Amino acid sequence: MTGARRAWAFVFSAGLVLAIVWPILRDPPKDGFPLSNYPMFSSSRDRTRSEIPHVVGYSKEGRHRPLTPEQLGSAEIMQAYVTVRLAIRKGHARDLCQRSAELVASQPEHADLERLEVRTDVYDSLAYFSGDKKPRKTRVHARCAVPHGGAR
């Protein structure tokens, strides 16, 4: 191999290594195609705080339980989560609450539910899995009554 070819191979190899390492060297790091620094794994996160947007039903006796994905119009948990999150973000929490209340009212097994809340609860993740299931903070975005009558 001639000296010129070796130099070209060295420059080409160094360029490839630099292209692979470049996303790590950016400040602030940027993610993009075709090179990625995998921010979903490399960025720091608060591992003890979880925000859960959901719809909660309350019975006449004051008991409460989160609505199931089916009661939010989906069979998929992640779809229901995104539905609630987007409704809150776009200011449509009241509409979601009313649609969910109408659906719940048509289900005899949920006849005990009197009202719904669209809310975001903040939990201490470590405490939650140690048995402390109380939210640390709650923000109510909408409240609505479950309509009585009809199929009830």
Side-chain angles (χ1 to χ4, degrees):
M1 191 181 261
T2 66
R5 287 188 80 186
R6 280 190 185 173
W8 171 246
F10 176 77
V11 169
F12 182 75
S13 298
L16 282 177
V17 169
L18 184 60
I20 291 169
V21 174
W22 181 252
I24 298 170
L25 302 176
R26 291 186 205 174
D27 192 31
K30 290 181 83 178
D31 187 36
F33 179 80
L35 303 174
S36 177
N37 60 2
Y38 299 98
M40 69 289 273
F41 302 113
S42 64
S43 61
S44 63
R45 295 176 40 168
D46 182 355
R47 300 196 188 283
T48 62
R49 185 176 183 267
S50 296
E51 286 190 15
I52 309 294
H54 54 167
V55 181
V56 178
Y58 287 84
S59 70
K60 295 169 185 130
E61 297 82 25
R63 291 189 307 268
H64 64 282
R65 62 183 180 271
L67 267 59
T68 65
E70 291 81 10
Q71 292 167 315
L72 297 170
S74 173
E76 298 294 327
I77 290 174
M78 290 308 293
Q79 254 182 348
Y81 170 81
V82 170
T83 297
V84 176
R85 194 176 62 156
L86 286 176
I88 292 168
R89 185 185 304 161
K90 293 183 176 189
H92 301 289
R94 182 103 182 117
D95 295 335
L96 175 65
C97 191
Q98 290 174 335
R99 282 194 321 267
S100 299
E102 289 170 11
L103 188 58
V104 165
S106 69
Q107 300 171 336
E109 65 271 21
H110 301 292
D112 65 318
L113 294 182
E114 187 171 69
R115 67 182 169 91
L116 303 181
E117 285 184 355
V118 178
R119 58 195 270 177
T120 301
D121 288 327
V122 178
Y123 293 94
D124 179 325
S125 304
L126 299 177
Y128 185 90
F129 288 107
S130 297
D132 182 2
K133 304 210 185 278
K134 288 180 278 183
R136 297 299 185 249
K137 183 176 159 187
T138 295
R139 180 168 179 219
V140 177
H141 305 281
R143 285 188 176 102
C144 62
V146 174
H148 297 281
R152 301 191 84 194

